[in-house]
Amino acid sequence: MGSSIAYATRVSGGKHAAEVERDDLRALLAAVRDALDVPPGPERRALLGDRALLVGGVLRDVLNGHALDIEQETAYLRARISKGGGRA
């Protein structure tokens, strides 16, 4: 069964393309989990809404082939959530 992700897989470090894709997808899913894991508090609802929009955009770009690669999208997502939210 082929991948439903519309992008060209990169190969590095002697790994097979499927291994690279699997590792990149696991890292992306971990970033999504971390983005949506917002602690309780007065800002939770707004922060969760912002992050849900950010995650949706990243996933849409990856699935539609608009992302250069999954690793870059993961780094972008992590950078945005490390700045305290999802707002631009």
Side-chain angles (χ1 to χ4, degrees):
M1 175 182 245
S3 174
S4 63
I5 299 172
Y7 78 100
T9 305
R10 64 180 169 70
V11 178
S12 63
K15 290 183 177 181
H16 292 290
E19 289 179 286
V20 172
E21 183 177 85
R22 183 200 63 216
D23 293 346
D24 287 351
L25 287 173
R26 288 177 64 105
L28 178 60
L29 289 173
V32 167
R33 179 202 57 217
D34 294 346
L36 299 177
D37 186 20
V38 178
E43 298 293 319
R44 184 175 200 273
R45 177 172 277 191
L47 185 57
L48 200 51
D50 290 344
R51 288 186 178 186
L53 290 173
L54 178 62
V55 165
V58 167
L59 293 177
R60 183 179 51 252
D61 287 349
V62 169
L63 292 172
N64 290 340
H66 299 289
L68 294 176
D69 67 35
I70 295 174
E71 189 175 37
Q72 284 184 319
E73 290 294 313
T74 301
Y76 170 77
L77 178 58
R78 289 211 175 273
R80 292 291 300 273
I81 65 175
S82 72
K83 292 180 183 178
R87 293 179 191 250

